[in-house]
Amino acid sequence: EDKVVQSPLSLVVHEGDTVTLNCSYEVTNFRSLLWYKQEKKAPTFLFMLTSSGIEKKSGRLSSILDKKELSSILNITATQTGDSAIYLCAVDHAGNMLTFGGGTRLMVKP
Amino acid sequence: EPEVTQTPSHQVTQMGQEVILRCVPISNHLYFYWYRQILGQKVEFLVSFYNNEISEKSEIFDDQFSVERPDGSNFTLKIRSTKLEDSAMYFCASNSQGSGELFFGEGSRLTVL
């Protein structure tokens, strides 16, 4: 059975802290791993990773894939209250479908 | 910026009633999807649709569910006879290449009483 697991389940930090969110997967026919941010309703796209070891970066957010370890991390530096959200990891595998993890709920306190 | 739009944003229905959720994908996208998220649970794949036919469906997508692209812009999800456990947020999504980044709509919250 295809599986995506995220940790931690939830995290509370203060503004300015750096956080690392984890995602591990076991799927057949891996194509890519995606990170989404879900604030109220729709997940919004952050990153898509296909190659191991190549960091993707967008402002204070960065992510990297480790295909050997079947995992990915999402880093957020200098966190702000606006980073408070649920961060979703999803794996694109055979069949045009994404399998999502359960998400990490991040709360950033002022 | 182009976006996926969904209607209604919230629908309340009685068990056993038929429900149609509507979506307008981004205009140049060719692949369309429905996902659902039961409150407090994971986002789950329901169905993918390309070239006017279903390309993949999950175990959740049983005979009570159907999808249709009735015209050049709308993409609908029909639940024929709703059950209590169908209560969830239903997300429509689309992309241009059938893999990778999905563009999600804001969701339609379905409450079955």
Side-chain angles (χ1 to χ4, degrees), chain A residues 9-76:
Chain A
L9 288 179
S10 66
L11 198 51
V12 180
V13 300
H14 287 93
E15 272 192 318
D17 289 349
T18 292
V19 297
T20 298
L21 310 182
N22 301 286
C23 176
S24 63
Y25 60 91
E26 290 178 34
V27 300
T28 52
N29 297 317
F30 174 91
R31 292 185 189 178
S32 62
L33 185 144
L34 300 96
W35 285 97
Y36 284 85
K37 179 181 182 182
Q38 187 176 28
E39 292 180 84
K40 289 183 180 176
K41 289 185 178 179
T44 53
F45 174 77
L46 295 175
F47 298 110
M48 183 172 80
L49 305 161
T50 53
S51 300
S52 208
I54 298 174
E55 186 183 56
K56 292 271 182 101
K57 201 168 167 66
S58 176
R60 296 175 294 101
L61 278 67
S62 63
S63 184
I64 196 162
L65 176 66
D66 185 339
K67 282 183 168 179
K68 190 175 173 186
E69 296 295 325
L70 305 182
S71 65
S72 173
I73 59 170
L74 174 68
N75 281 318
I76 309 174

Side-chain angles (χ1 to χ4, degrees), chain B residues 62-80:
Chain B
D62 61 22
D63 292 344
Q64 294 299 315
F65 290 88
S66 62
V67 289
E68 194 178 30
R69 187 151 163 86
D71 53 42
S73 59
N74 290 285
F75 178 52
T76 61
L77 174 70
K78 184 192 289 186
I79 308 174
R80 188 160 56 220

Side-chain angles (χ1 to χ4, degrees), chain A residues 3-5 31-32 34 36 38 40-45 48 88 92 94-103, chain B residues 9 31 33 35 37 42-45 48 50 55-57 89 91 97-107:
Chain A
K3 192 164 59 171
V4 178
V5 177
R31 292 185 189 178
S32 62
L34 300 96
Y36 284 85
Q38 187 176 28
K40 289 183 180 176
K41 289 185 178 179
T44 53
F45 174 77
M48 183 172 80
L88 299 173
D92 181 7
N96 270 351
M97 63 183 90
L98 297 184
T99 296
F100 281 83
Chain B
S9 57
Y31 297 82
Y33 310 83
Y35 284 78
Q37 187 175 31
K42 294 183 182 185
V43 176
E44 300 174 291
F45 169 80
S48 60
Y50 170 72
S55 22
E56 292 290 337
K57 60 182 181 179
M89 182 72 89
F91 292 108
Q97 297 183 353
S99 64
E101 181 185 355
L102 282 184
F103 295 81
F104 284 88
E106 288 290 302

Side-chain angles (χ1 to χ4, degrees), chain B:
Chain B
E1 187 176 332
E3 58 181 20
V4 176
T5 57
Q6 290 186 240
T7 54
S9 57
H10 188 195
Q11 181 155 357
V12 181
T13 191
Q14 295 291 324
M15 194 167 55
Q17 295 295 305
E18 176 183 284
V19 159
I20 297 176
L21 306 178
R22 291 182 168 79
C23 170
V24 179
I26 293 172
S27 62
N28 63 344
H29 285 179
L30 302 176
Y31 297 82
F32 315 120
Y33 310 83
W34 284 100
Y35 284 78
R36 79 169 186 192
Q37 187 175 31
I38 296 170
L39 189 63
Q41 297 188 23
K42 294 183 182 185
V43 176
E44 300 174 291
F45 169 80
L46 291 178
V47 65
S48 60
F49 190 87
Y50 170 72
N51 201 26
N52 281 318
E53 61 183 29
I54 290 173
S55 22
E56 292 290 337
K57 60 182 181 179
S58 71
E59 290 176 356
I60 303 166
F61 194 87
D62 61 22
D63 292 344
Q64 294 299 315
F65 290 88
S66 62
V67 289
E68 194 178 30
R69 187 151 163 86
D71 53 42
S73 59
N74 290 285
F75 178 52
T76 61
L77 174 70
K78 184 192 289 186
I79 308 174
R80 188 160 56 220
S81 177
T82 50
K83 303 189 281 284
L84 295 176
E85 54 264 38
D86 294 328
S87 295
M89 182 72 89
Y90 288 81
F91 292 108
C92 176
S94 68
N95 60 14
S96 56
Q97 297 183 353
S99 64
E101 181 185 355
L102 282 184
F103 295 81
F104 284 88
E106 288 290 302
S108 293
R109 180 168 295 285
L110 176 65
T111 301
V112 182
L113 302 177

